[in-house]
């Protein structure tokens, strides 16, 4: 049967090779294979660093949260990931042919050559989606394509990639990550993509629910509150415990500016819910 630890292991496989795991996994599951005290220790580390000026390295060693330096490749501040086709051999063959041939054959159309909206319309049935899902967020044509085809595999690939990036780069949950500007730029890119699609990402919703209890209300404030405005309508008990309660603790102990910012974000959240409900009624 589908045991919880087996599901967690399969989700890791699906993160790196989604085409190898064809079964449907639950969108929300308990996190395994990690130290559950890590986020709390990271939060304590951040507070001590601000108040006492202790070096991050000594804090991490004292709290037992020091980790070997990550060997993963860092993305740049603008998060401009070039769109690349999965089949590079096909790209080399297509590159040798003219545009007329591209429009008249059944071969897949590489995203590297997608430059205009008419190209998207003429090749939408044979467009090859990029191998790097991060390039979708900064490409309006690919966002149009994503909005039209409604392919579940595309959303799953983006869900796993974005969830991993948010978890690894969150500046108040990771001890050895202090590049706030880079993280803010990434959150802004995600928010702009949500505005374009007029819907929130499920990976972003899970990230907010997990990290809002640890958030100090100051780091990446405007970006976090903007993402809050795109949380999809769900069960009231979940929204209350994971969204309203953490915000309420910050609301009653923060400045008037923060209070106004939270109210503005919740107002936009309500507007997005109403707009989404109107569109569903119209479609029915």
């Amino acid at each position: 049967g589908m045991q919880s630890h087996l599901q967690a292991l399969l989700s890791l496989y699906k993160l790196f090779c989604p085409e190898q795991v064809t079964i449907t996994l639950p969108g929300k599951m308990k996190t395994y294979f990690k130290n559950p005290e890590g986020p709390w220790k990271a939060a304590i580390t951040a507070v001590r660093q601000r108040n006492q000026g202790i070096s991050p390295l000594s804090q991490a060693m004292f709290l037992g949260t020091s980790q070997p330096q990550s060997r993963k490749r860092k993305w740049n501040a603008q998060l401009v990931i070039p769109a690349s086709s999965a089949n590079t051999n096909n790209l080399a063959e297509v590159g040798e042919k003219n545009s007329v041939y591209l429009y008249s054959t059944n071969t897949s159309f590489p995203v590297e050559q997608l430059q205009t909206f008419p190209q998207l319309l003429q090749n939408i049935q044979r467009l090859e989606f990029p191998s790097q899902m991060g390039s979708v967020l900064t490409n309006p044509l690919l966002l149009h394509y994503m909005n039209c085809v409604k392919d579940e595999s595309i959303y799953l690939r983006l869900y796993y990639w974005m969830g991993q990036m948010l978890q690894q780069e969150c500046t108040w949950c990771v001890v050895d990550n202090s590049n706030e500007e880079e993280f803010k730029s990434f959150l802004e890119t995600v928010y702009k993509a949500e505005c374009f699609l007029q819907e929130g990402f499920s990976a972003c919703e899970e990230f907010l629910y997990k990290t809002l209890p640890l958030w100090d209300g100051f780091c990446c404030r405007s970006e976090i509150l903007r993402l809050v405005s795109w949380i999809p309508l769900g069960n009231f008990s979940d929204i209350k415990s994971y969204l309203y309660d953490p915000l309420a603790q910050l609301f009653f102990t923060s400045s008037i500016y923060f209070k106004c910012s939270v109210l503005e974000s919740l107002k936009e959240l309500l507007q997005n819910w109403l707009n989404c409900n109107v569109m569903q009624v119209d479609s029915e």
Side-chain angles (χ1 to χ4, degrees):
M2 289 298 292
Q3 301 180 13
S4 57
H5 285 82
L6 177 59
Q7 290 181 348
L9 184 60
L10 288 174
S11 68
L12 289 180
Y13 290 141
K14 200 159 190 174
L15 172 64
F16 296 101
C17 298
E19 70 280 358
Q20 299 295 331
V21 182
T22 58
I23 64 174
T24 301
L25 296 174
K28 296 181 179 180
M29 63 176 67
K30 185 179 179 180
T31 302
Y32 290 92
F33 316 120
K34 291 181 61 180
N35 182 0
E37 297 179 356
W40 287 109
K41 291 182 178 180
I44 295 174
T45 300
V47 172
R48 290 190 174 183
Q49 182 178 358
R50 287 198 307 268
N51 296 341
Q52 301 178 9
I54 303 177
S55 66
L57 179 60
S58 63
Q59 292 179 39
M61 294 178 63
F62 175 75
L63 293 172
T65 57
S66 59
Q67 300 174 352
Q69 184 176 2
S70 176
R71 292 179 294 176
K72 74 181 183 66
R73 182 177 62 84
K74 296 285 289 184
W75 31 267
N76 59 31
Q78 289 76 33
L79 195 70
V80 179
I81 300 178
S84 59
S85 302
N87 189 347
T88 55
N89 294 329
N90 180 57
L91 174 61
E93 296 174 0
V94 171
E96 298 174 356
K97 300 175 176 60
N98 56 33
S99 58
V100 176
Y101 182 76
L102 285 174
Y103 290 126
S104 60
T105 62
N106 292 325
T107 58
S108 59
F109 187 83
V111 293
E112 291 88 344
Q113 300 189 16
L114 183 63
Q115 302 294 333
T116 63
F117 194 74
Q119 280 183 319
L120 174 65
L121 294 179
Q122 296 180 25
N123 299 278
I124 195 168
Q125 296 298 329
R126 54 193 185 90
L127 184 66
E128 183 180 0
F129 219 72
S131 57
Q132 298 188 29
M133 292 307 298
S135 60
V136 177
L137 299 179
T138 55
N139 192 321
L141 294 177
L142 292 181
L143 288 175
H144 273 301
Y145 174 70
M146 182 177 172
N147 213 10
C148 291
V149 296
K150 296 297 183 182
D151 188 349
E152 183 180 359
S153 63
I154 296 175
Y155 283 90
L156 279 177
R157 288 178 58 194
L158 192 60
Y159 164 78
Y160 283 111
W161 175 84
M162 187 181 299
Q164 188 76 1
M165 294 301 295
L166 289 169
Q167 177 180 336
Q168 292 179 351
E169 303 300 333
C170 180
T171 54
W172 59 89
C173 291
V174 180
V175 174
D176 59 350
N177 186 2
S178 59
N179 196 338
E180 181 179 346
E181 292 302 321
E182 190 177 69
F183 187 55
K184 288 173 64 175
S185 177
F186 179 50
L187 296 181
E188 183 67 21
T189 301
V190 174
Y191 170 72
K192 290 180 180 178
E194 289 183 331
C195 292
F196 188 96
L197 296 172
Q198 291 293 290
E199 62 177 330
F201 295 113
S202 56
C204 191
E205 176 189 10
E206 292 186 13
F207 163 74
L208 291 173
Y209 285 167
K210 291 179 180 179
T211 59
L212 280 178
L214 307 176
W215 185 44
D216 59 3
F218 178 77
C219 182
C220 307
R221 175 191 296 166
S222 60
E223 290 77 18
I224 290 297
L225 292 180
R226 286 177 181 176
L227 293 179
V228 166
S229 66
W230 280 110
I231 290 179
L233 180 62
N235 184 274
F236 174 75
S237 61
D238 291 339
I239 294 177
K240 181 181 184 300
S241 58
Y242 294 124
L243 175 63
Y244 295 153
D245 290 348
L247 286 179
Q249 294 181 10
L250 295 170
F251 185 89
F252 293 115
T253 58
S254 300
S255 64
I256 186 66
Y257 176 80
F258 180 83
K259 290 181 172 63
C260 293
S261 300
V262 171
L263 292 177
E264 177 69 17
S265 176
L266 295 180
K267 185 199 73 171
E268 294 177 358
L269 175 63
L270 179 59
Q271 290 177 339
N272 291 332
W273 284 350
L274 292 174
N275 291 333
C276 180
N277 184 66
V278 168
M279 288 189 294
Q280 290 180 355
V281 171
D282 291 343
S283 62
E284 294 174 357

